[in-house]
């Protein structure tokens, strides 16, 4: 069984606040704690306005990858946001 950490989701009130305020420490703490708990992947969902979502996803990817090597699962209903976030992401190691 593979576990996907689902806590980094902008539909959660505190996560939405962290995204809006660019509170990297809060998002990074969620990422590290889920990775340490055994998550095989980290779900990353900005859940923000479609116009902001690409920038928010890219920011989230960068700050999460700065603190963990756990693979990310990008989660969005916005194909344009996903496309831009994937293009901005570094190649897998």
């Amino acid at each position: 069984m593979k576990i996907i950490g689902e806590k980094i989701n902008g539909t959660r009130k505190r996560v939405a606040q962290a995204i809006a305020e660019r509170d990297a420490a809060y998002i990074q703490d969620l990422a590290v704690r889920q990775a340490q708990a055994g998550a095989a992947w980290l779900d990353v969902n900005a859940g923000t306005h479609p116009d902001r979502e690409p920038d928010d996803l890219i920011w989230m990817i960068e700050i999460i990858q700065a603190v963990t090597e756990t693979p990310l699962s990008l989660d969005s209903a916005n194909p344009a946001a996903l496309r831009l976030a994937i293009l901005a992401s570094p190649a897998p190691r």
Side-chain angles (χ1 to χ4, degrees):
M1 178 169 58
K2 301 289 183 178
I3 304 295
I4 300 175
E6 291 279 347
K7 297 287 187 185
I8 305 171
N9 189 318
T11 63
R12 299 178 67 227
K13 185 177 180 179
R14 181 59 184 97
V15 175
Q17 178 184 351
I19 294 167
E21 296 174 359
R22 288 300 194 251
D23 183 353
Y26 183 80
I27 302 293
Q28 289 174 323
D29 181 61
L30 286 176
V32 168
R33 287 190 296 135
Q34 290 179 101
Q36 289 174 342
W41 293 281
L42 299 175
D43 182 83
V44 180
N45 182 337
T48 54
H49 190 278
D51 293 341
R52 287 191 43 203
E53 194 171 17
D55 289 336
D56 292 338
L57 273 175
I58 292 166
W59 173 75
M60 293 169 75
I61 291 165
E62 290 171 353
I63 65 165
I64 293 166
Q65 289 185 324
V67 295
T68 183
E69 292 187 13
T70 304
L72 305 181
S73 174
L74 303 181
D75 180 3
S76 174
N78 180 344
L82 287 173
R83 185 173 28 261
L84 292 171
I86 291 167
L87 290 173
S89 298
R93 297 176 204 155

